[in-house]
Amino acid sequence: LAINSNGEIFVAGNSIGLQDQSIVLFKLNSQGQLDTSFGNNGYLILNDIAGIGAEDVANDMIIDRFGRLFIVGTSRVFPATNIRGAYFSSIALGDFRFFAVRIE
């Protein structure tokens, strides 16, 4: 959970599908209602970060003083686990980039 300076709330969770596990990011307005102008009717799905069939898990998130959202977690495609992060340079547009560290 992270709250920006405008009181908007971001919640990250996980969605388990038939072949993979994805990170889901929701945006709520300052009244706690889903912001349907964000992503796909209020949420974004970040999946297959490390490759097809990856188990992507969000562990923490923060909004820095510039309003940029960072999500960190893991992305696993057997046998390797990668520490992954998503950096949203423009939260409103869902413009994100991934960065990674690989752990064998």
Side-chain angles (χ1 to χ4, degrees):
L1 176 82
I3 302 173
N4 69 13
S5 60
N6 295 329
E8 297 167 321
I9 304 162
F10 295 87
V11 179
N14 299 311
S15 172
I16 299 173
L18 294 175
Q19 297 187 7
D20 63 5
Q21 183 170 333
S22 303
I23 296 170
V24 182
L25 176 65
F26 295 91
K27 181 182 177 188
L28 309 172
N29 63 27
S30 59
Q31 286 75 43
Q33 299 165 325
L34 194 61
D35 180 353
T36 57
S37 69
F38 176 74
N40 183 16
N41 283 327
Y43 68 93
L44 288 174
I45 297 176
L46 311 175
N47 60 357
D48 297 333
I49 297 170
I52 296 173
E55 296 175 2
D56 303 316
V57 177
N59 295 107
D60 205 355
M61 60 194 309
I62 188 171
I63 297 175
D64 71 8
R65 65 186 177 110
F66 301 108
R68 298 174 298 191
L69 176 67
F70 292 85
I71 300 173
V72 293
T74 58
S75 186
R76 182 167 196 252
V77 177
F78 186 80
T81 297
N82 298 287
I83 296 173
R84 295 283 176 166
Y87 158 57
F88 289 80
S89 59
S90 174
I91 296 173
L93 300 176
D95 176 23
F96 61 90
R97 295 172 181 86
F98 292 108
F99 54 92
V101 176
R102 185 178 176 117
I103 299 173
E104 297 291 335

